[in-house]
Amino acid sequence: SEKNLNYYPNTIKVKAGQPVSISLDKSVTGCLRSFTIRDLGVAKYLKSSSDTLDFTPTKKGTFTFSCSMGMGYGKLVVE
């Protein structure tokens, strides 16, 4: 969801080697719907709350996610 013009929650913990599915609810608006994790090479415009960004992280670490314009951002922690 969106809170104070940023993603909420803005830290997401996942496990390496396990599929991840991210969706954005209706509170997320504008450019924040264009969800990008640059270091993992994943990006998708999530048009509605039923759209999902699906990927499987293979390396552990902390990766920054953001909108296409870099206004909203957060961390994806892969353990």
Side-chain angles (χ1 to χ4, degrees):
S1 62
E2 184 180 320
K3 195 172 175 179
N4 304 327
L5 296 177
N6 199 1
Y7 297 107
Y8 179 82
N10 65 357
T11 300
I12 303 171
K13 285 190 178 175
V14 299
K15 294 212 179 314
Q18 292 193 354
V20 175
S21 182
I22 292 174
S23 63
L24 302 174
D25 68 23
K26 285 190 175 76
S27 73
V28 181
T29 56
C31 64
L32 265 68
R33 296 209 71 87
S34 185
F35 196 88
T36 308
I37 309 171
R38 210 163 259 140
D39 291 340
L40 298 182
V42 237
K44 187 173 180 183
Y45 182 75
L46 301 166
K47 199 165 41 192
S48 71
S49 49
S50 59
D51 285 341
T52 58
L53 170 62
D54 301 293
F55 63 98
T56 303
T58 52
K59 51 186 181 183
K60 295 182 179 187
T62 300
F63 306 96
T64 301
F65 60 78
S66 67
C67 71
S68 57
M69 294 177 67
M71 289 169 68
Y73 56 88
K75 281 187 200 133
L76 179 81
V77 181
V78 183
E79 300 175 324

